[in-house]
Amino acid sequence: MKRRFRIQNLHCQGCAAAIEDEILGLPGVMSASINIDGGLLILEDDGKVALNSLRGIASSIEPGAEVSDFDDRRDCGDAGEGGLRDVISMALSGAALAAALLFGEKLGSALGRRMDLALYAAAYALAAYPVLISSFRTLFTRNFLNEFFLMSFASIAAIAIGKFPEAVSVMLFYRVGEFLQDRAAARSRRSIRALAAQRPAAARVLCDGVESVKSPEDVAAGDIVIVRPGERIPVDGIVICGESRVDASSLTGEPVPAAVRAGDSVYGGTANMDGLLRIKASGGFEDSSVARIMEMVEEAAARKSPTERFITTFARYYTPSVAVLAALIAIVPPTLSLGSYSEWLYRALVLLVISCPCALVISIPLGYFGGIGAASSRGILIKGGGVLDALRGISMVFFDKTGTLTEGVFAVTRVNPATGIAPEDLSRAAAIAESISNHPVARSIMSKFSDLLPKNISLSGSEEAGRGVSASFAGTDGKELTVLAGNESLMQAHGIEIPEGIAYPGTVVHVALDGSYLGNIVVSDVVRAESANAVRRIRESGIEDIYMLTGDRESAASSVAGDLNLTGYRAGLLPDGKVSALAELANGNTNRAIFVGDGVNDAPILATSGVSVAMGGLGSELAVD
């Protein structure tokens, strides 16, 4: 079975790898993976591993690390974000270092003493104290040869050979890097909590005719749940009574609320728009679509890429190797009469200074920062240098549709009057009917034809959930007329015959006036003006495989894919379906794929693909994070 735990106060990737290895040695454990940024430990075992055992392993390797039961409703805090105290200490350390380098000798000449040493000492103390404390805490554990030990020993060695600026710089650069990394980790945790905000607060359960309010986690399969207009559906299930429109954009990306009635499936986390629904639950909230999205995002973040696994393995052996090599340099040559002990001790200390991991951590990313800076000047924000590395292996591009390749807003794309009907008459009748509705399709028709709406018209009517609207008004001769605007089901209910074979990409709104069919208006999501150029330039860069993965209908997806000359598409996908489609089309190698999306529903596939791109201007906060 797979279980999740919170793990906090863990900042060392080498320590995380050591904890994973120790947990893997426990009886009944099949796999263990730690996501430091998300503060998550994912354990696959026989269910018999005790929480206290996990706590003992974590604290023995990294003193202060805490393991607790997982609860996605509990705010795990932004402990990694760093506080004002860290910022002040780093700023003061930097100021003292700069003063020592620029004015130390002048102050010493004026005051007759080595003031630069005092400034270096102050700068070192301010920058190094957290690292020295962490190193001391782990000194008596099995994992004492860690990054804190090497940082501490290397900086002390630099002081021993008189390299005071190097000693301070090593510690200060390390602290700044850790601070920025922790801030990024905190943003990652906030994005998970943003997704948790999609969860319903309560569920109305009907039992023996009595309605009671429960937590969504307390809903069981087979329970009857009542969802009123404006409330979120708490769990996945089947509608057994009622009709309504459901806003499923957070899951499917489809901006038009879907009509549901008895027998239709609905999903937890979606919003009920305008009708009372009774739903038979297929399970509790932990089995719902939103809960699965949260789990997929967290587990995708915890899965380590081949590069990450290599770096973790490298870090595990690097520090002990350097320490052993320095000891051999200090002892073996003088023992063989190849020089004095003091000479070779000096060389061993030099090795420790130059082998400090800050040389790797600080120098190499400078090249990446140049690329990141150039991209940011063009409005492209890149989360880290690893993204630039990952781009080298990309051979496929996947797009979401709504809000990414398309505008994400509706517009009238076709007006199809019936034989003998003027387009203006069809458009005017549609505007009259839709003026009583607040549906997204109605708003798009009104924005197009509002100038055709007669002035001072007196209307009465009603909206039928999932079908359309019916409105009555007085004609020019004073006779009351009835106008209908909606789908085929509305026309059939009122005995209106419509032509066969009407199939357009988008939403078709049929219009009838006083029993006579006037024609139809097609409303659809409009392809972005720049989408075709983007697809063309991607192909010019050498990437031929360009796909679209969308939760929208087949007809709408087919139209967009054809207009943009895409390699292929998959329609009607829920979030987990997008992940599966990506893996299938990429033949399991998702590291060679880019996914571009903008919605909450895209979060799992954004976390899964080799490189993920969020539409920052219009995208949801979760997708951007």
Side-chain angles (χ1 to χ4, degrees):
M1 63 181 295
K2 186 174 291 184
R3 296 190 288 165
R4 294 185 293 169
F5 300 88
R6 289 287 181 205
I7 183 163
Q8 295 174 278
N9 302 325
L10 178 63
H11 306 286
C12 166
Q13 188 63 55
C15 298
I19 292 172
E20 289 173 350
D21 287 345
E22 287 292 323
I23 293 175
L24 284 171
L26 295 176
V29 175
M30 281 76 80
S31 68
S33 181
I34 293 176
N35 172 16
I36 291 182
D37 289 348
L40 181 68
L41 164 62
I42 299 176
L43 179 69
E44 190 172 0
D45 69 334
D46 56 8
K48 297 179 181 179
V49 175
L51 178 59
N52 285 338
S53 298
L54 301 178
R55 286 172 174 164
I57 290 173
S59 61
S60 68
I61 294 174
E62 170 112 341
E66 299 177 2
V67 181
S68 59
D69 286 320
F70 181 87
D71 184 355
D72 58 13
R73 291 169 294 179
R74 181 169 59 87
D75 188 345
C76 61
D78 288 339
E81 190 170 347
L84 183 61
R85 182 183 302 174
D86 288 330
V87 176
I88 292 174
S89 68
M90 288 185 292
L92 290 177
S93 177
L97 175 60
L101 291 172
L102 297 174
F103 310 113
E105 290 187 8
K106 294 181 180 179
L107 289 173
S109 300
L111 300 176
R113 57 175 66 92
R114 292 289 303 275
M115 288 300 298
D116 58 337
L117 289 182
L119 290 171
Y120 284 133
Y124 182 79
L126 287 167
Y129 76 89
V131 179
L132 295 174
I133 290 173
S134 297
S135 179
F136 180 77
R137 285 177 176 172
T138 59
L139 190 59
F140 304 104
T141 67
R142 291 169 295 172
N143 195 50
F144 75 94
L145 287 177
N146 53 32
E147 61 181 293
F148 302 118
F149 172 83
L150 187 56
M151 291 295 306
S152 302
F153 202 76
S155 62
I156 293 172
I159 293 173
I161 62 177
K163 302 296 182 180
F164 303 109
E166 288 81 353
V168 178
S169 299
V170 161
M171 281 297 184
L172 185 57
F173 288 150
Y174 179 78
R175 285 284 306 283
V176 171
E178 288 292 297
F179 177 77
L180 295 177
Q181 176 181 300
D182 287 350
R183 287 186 66 86
R187 286 196 297 271
S188 175
R189 286 189 287 270
R190 282 199 297 270
S191 74
I192 297 298
R193 292 200 298 275
L195 180 56
Q198 297 286 333
R199 58 180 297 121
R204 304 178 187 275
V205 179
L206 189 65
C207 184
D208 297 329
V210 179
E211 182 181 317
S212 60
V213 178
K214 295 183 178 181
S215 168
E217 284 80 3
D218 296 331
V219 176
D223 284 350
I224 305 301
V225 178
I226 297 176
V227 184
R228 294 172 179 166
E231 296 180 342
R232 286 196 179 274
I233 296 173
V235 294
D236 292 1
I238 304 294
V239 177
I240 59 173
C241 181
E243 293 185 6
S244 183
R245 289 178 298 129
V246 172
D247 180 3
S249 59
S250 62
L251 293 181
T252 65
E254 169 57 58
V256 179
V260 297
R261 54 177 57 90
D264 291 339
S265 298
V266 290
Y267 303 99
T270 58
N272 181 25
M273 302 292 288
D274 48 26
L276 181 71
L277 294 177
R278 290 193 180 188
I279 300 167
K280 185 175 182 180
S282 58
F285 181 78
E286 67 276 5
D287 301 316
S288 68
S289 300
V290 168
R292 288 198 297 272
I293 291 177
M294 294 173 65
E295 184 175 354
M296 283 190 288
V297 170
E298 290 177 320
E299 291 187 6
R303 287 194 296 268
K304 293 179 175 61
S305 69
T307 303
E308 287 176 305
R309 287 194 293 269
F310 169 76
I311 292 173
T312 298
T313 303
F314 177 79
R316 189 180 304 165
Y317 297 107
Y318 179 75
T319 302
S321 299
V322 168
V324 170
L325 184 59
L328 292 174
I329 290 175
I331 297 171
V332 174
T335 303
L336 299 176
S337 301
L338 297 176
S340 66
Y341 279 98
S342 59
E343 177 186 356
W344 285 101
L345 177 60
Y346 180 89
R347 291 174 178 173
L349 295 177
V350 170
L351 173 66
L352 287 174
V353 174
I354 65 173
S355 63
C356 171
C358 268
L360 300 173
V361 173
I362 298 299
S363 62
I364 294 174
L366 291 178
Y368 293 117
F369 293 159
I372 292 171
S376 66
S377 68
R378 297 174 178 236
I380 303 168
L381 304 182
I382 299 177
K383 259 196 155 180
V387 175
L388 300 179
D389 275 340
L391 282 169
R392 294 181 304 169
I394 294 301
S395 59
M396 307 179 75
V397 176
F398 295 81
F399 285 99
D400 175 43
K401 182 184 78 69
T402 307
T404 303
L405 292 175
T406 66
E407 296 286 356
V409 294
F410 288 95
V412 174
T413 53
R414 294 180 66 98
V415 177
N416 304 307
T419 304
I421 303 297
E424 293 79 7
D425 293 337
L426 169 61
S427 302
R428 182 180 298 106
I432 291 172
E434 300 290 16
S435 65
I436 68 171
S437 173
N438 197 37
H439 190 281
V441 170
R443 290 198 299 268
S444 65
I445 291 177
M446 283 300 298
S447 67
K448 179 73 172 179
F449 303 123
S450 59
D451 57 331
L452 298 178
L453 191 67
K455 295 181 179 180
N456 302 320
I457 187 172
S458 177
L459 283 170
S460 62
S462 62
E463 184 170 2
E464 299 184 30
R467 291 183 174 181
V469 293
S470 172
S472 299
F473 66 100
T476 54
D477 57 358
K479 179 184 176 182
E480 184 173 279
L481 302 175
T482 299
V483 61
L484 305 173
N487 57 22
E488 294 181 14
S489 178
L490 179 70
M491 298 294 117
Q492 292 171 358
H494 290 266
I496 307 294
E497 293 187 6
I498 60 176
E500 296 182 359
I502 295 177
Y504 299 106
T507 300
V508 179
V509 179
H510 299 280
V511 181
L513 178 64
D514 230 27
S516 299
Y517 184 71
L518 301 184
N520 62 77
I521 294 174
V522 181
V523 177
S524 58
D525 197 0
V526 180
V527 175
R528 289 180 183 272
E530 61 270 26
S531 292
N533 184 52
V535 171
R536 178 182 59 81
R537 293 186 65 182
I538 289 172
R539 285 212 165 93
E540 288 176 354
S541 74
I543 298 176
E544 293 293 333
D545 294 330
I546 306 175
Y547 294 88
M548 180 177 69
L549 306 178
T550 178
D552 208 345
R553 301 179 308 279
E554 174 73 23
S555 60
S558 175
S559 173
V560 173
D563 290 345
L564 297 178
N565 192 29
L566 302 181
T567 307
Y569 69 92
R570 297 287 176 86
L573 300 175
L574 288 174
D576 52 351
K578 286 187 176 183
V579 174
S580 300
L582 174 70
E584 178 186 340
L585 292 170
N587 293 320
N589 186 8
T590 57
N591 285 332
R592 68 189 186 102
I594 286 180
F595 183 82
V596 187
D598 74 319
V600 171
N601 60 302
D602 295 324
I605 193 170
L606 286 168
T608 301
S609 58
V611 174
S612 58
V613 182
M615 306 292 287
L618 296 173
S620 70
E621 181 181 351
L622 177 67
V624 172
D625 282 343

